[in-house]
Amino acid sequence: MAIESVGIVGAGQMGNGIAHVFALAGYDVLLNDVDQEALDKAVSLITRNLDRQVKGEKIGEAEKNDALGRIRTTLALKDLGETDLVIEAATEKEAVKQKIFEELLPHLKPDTILTSNTSSISITRLASRTDRPEKFMGFHFMNPVPVMQLVELIRGIATDEPTYKTLFEVVERLGKTSATAEDFPAFIVNRILMPMINEAVYTLYEGVGSVQSIDQSMKLGANWPMGPLELADFIGLDTCLAIMGVLHDGLADTKYRPCPLLVKYVEAGWLGRKSGRGFYDYSGEKPVPTR
């Protein structure tokens, strides 16, 4: 299966990063969102990130301009039906994702591959709601997409070999590395990472340490590039909570119970960097711990 055009659903943090790397790798990209402002912000951010790569001498000015010329945007989800590969990068809510796929189906070419950038939800279950479960896979990029090298490839129970091989080759063309994960809750990276972040929140909740001491301990004591609470803010506390919910429900083990403090922060709308407040306050020049 030859992939030359890619449709991306969702122009947020993940969607614009995915559009960036695909355009830079020579693919024609059609980026979709329900909000024109989100699309405009995404293109602006992609431009700034490409400029940063030019300044760092990782790419040339001509490569940047070529990549930007390959990116188009649309408010109409049906327009993605013309592409060879669709990557859903919407919010981490199964009902939202299912609705997107249901709306897309009547407009897709017969050979179009459907994928989800979900970080935790069952690929088999998402695929079962489509007309092509054999051409459906999990295609999980890491954040920030232009920087992180790993892509998790997750087969559903019905995914066929040609689809897997096609996406494996796409990852190679992007200059990234793939890891194959089985279709279990949260796959590999988040199965390990999210319980660690959740435990850091419990450590804060129980008063074992402050935000600063917890993050500093893991950065200097375990050589983490970011502290776990800093990382949670970067990912989005709502996303962390959603993944912990999938782990807790899917594996039925109390060790995956989301920390009550994480639940409270999300209920308060304190979602991390994207909302301006989480375990840190981002309203000033430098982030300030909130506890």
Side-chain angles (χ1 to χ4, degrees):
M1 301 178 189
I3 304 296
E4 295 300 333
S5 58
V6 181
I8 300 167
V9 184
Q13 194 172 41
M14 294 305 296
N16 75 66
I18 294 169
H20 175 143
V21 298
F22 270 90
L24 201 54
Y27 293 94
D28 292 324
V29 175
L30 185 56
L31 182 60
N32 162 262
D33 202 282
V34 295
D35 181 26
Q36 185 61 50
E37 184 180 355
L39 290 172
D40 294 340
K41 284 183 178 179
V43 173
S44 178
L45 182 58
I46 292 168
T47 303
R48 292 200 302 273
N49 287 336
L50 287 168
D51 284 336
R52 190 176 293 117
Q53 287 180 300
V54 171
K55 187 175 181 180
E57 299 183 348
K58 294 181 179 179
I59 63 172
E61 188 72 26
E63 287 178 276
K64 181 199 85 170
N65 292 332
D66 287 346
L68 288 172
R70 295 188 191 101
I71 298 174
R72 295 182 294 132
T73 63
T74 180
L75 292 170
L77 187 61
K78 65 179 182 179
D79 291 347
L80 272 60
E82 68 190 57
T83 61
D84 303 321
L85 167 66
V86 172
I87 304 169
E88 172 273 313
T91 185
E92 192 68 358
K93 295 180 179 178
E94 187 168 344
V96 172
K97 294 179 185 296
Q98 288 176 341
K99 185 178 179 182
I100 287 168
F101 290 126
E102 287 169 3
E103 188 176 336
L104 264 173
L105 290 179
H107 310 287
L108 297 177
K109 298 187 298 184
D111 291 335
T112 296
I113 293 176
L114 281 179
T115 68
S116 175
N117 185 57
T118 178
S119 50
S120 61
I121 298 168
S122 168
I123 300 303
T124 297
R125 196 162 60 241
L126 288 174
S128 71
R129 301 288 293 270
T130 76
D131 63 353
R132 59 195 71 203
E134 73 285 354
K135 296 184 185 300
F136 193 109
M137 274 191 68
F139 207 25
H140 182 212
F141 288 80
M142 306 295 130
N143 186 34
V145 181
V147 176
M148 303 297 281
Q149 289 300 303
L150 184 71
V151 181
E152 282 184 316
L153 297 180
I154 307 101
R155 300 190 206 206
I157 195 170
T159 306
D160 63 24
E161 190 65 16
T163 298
Y164 171 79
K165 287 183 176 179
T166 298
L167 292 186
F168 184 89
E169 290 168 2
V170 167
V171 173
E172 287 191 326
R173 181 171 162 183
L174 294 176
K176 296 188 180 293
T177 301
S178 61
T180 303
E182 293 299 319
D183 189 18
F184 280 78
F187 319 129
I188 295 173
V189 173
N190 284 319
R191 170 75 177 265
I192 298 168
L193 176 63
M194 284 302 156
M196 294 175 72
I197 288 176
N198 194 53
E199 193 63 28
V201 182
Y202 266 114
T203 305
L204 178 66
Y205 178 60
E206 294 168 2
V208 179
S210 65
V211 169
Q212 185 174 13
S213 63
I214 292 167
D215 278 352
Q216 190 174 57
S217 294
M218 293 308 293
K219 285 192 283 188
L220 301 182
N223 207 28
W224 283 34
M226 297 173 71
L229 301 177
E230 182 185 7
L231 179 58
D233 273 2
F234 181 75
I235 294 168
L237 303 191
D238 52 341
T239 300
C240 294
L241 179 60
I243 296 170
M244 287 307 301
V246 169
L247 280 166
H248 189 239
D249 294 343
L251 299 174
D253 194 321
T254 56
K255 72 179 180 180
Y256 298 114
R257 183 173 71 96
C259 178
L261 184 61
L262 179 61
V263 176
K264 280 188 178 181
Y265 270 49
V266 173
E267 288 176 343
W270 297 351
L271 308 180
R273 284 178 181 261
K274 61 186 174 184
S275 69
R277 183 185 175 99
F279 294 112
Y280 291 83
D281 185 334
Y282 299 92
S283 59
E285 290 185 10
K286 292 184 178 180
V288 178
T290 53
R291 290 173 75 95

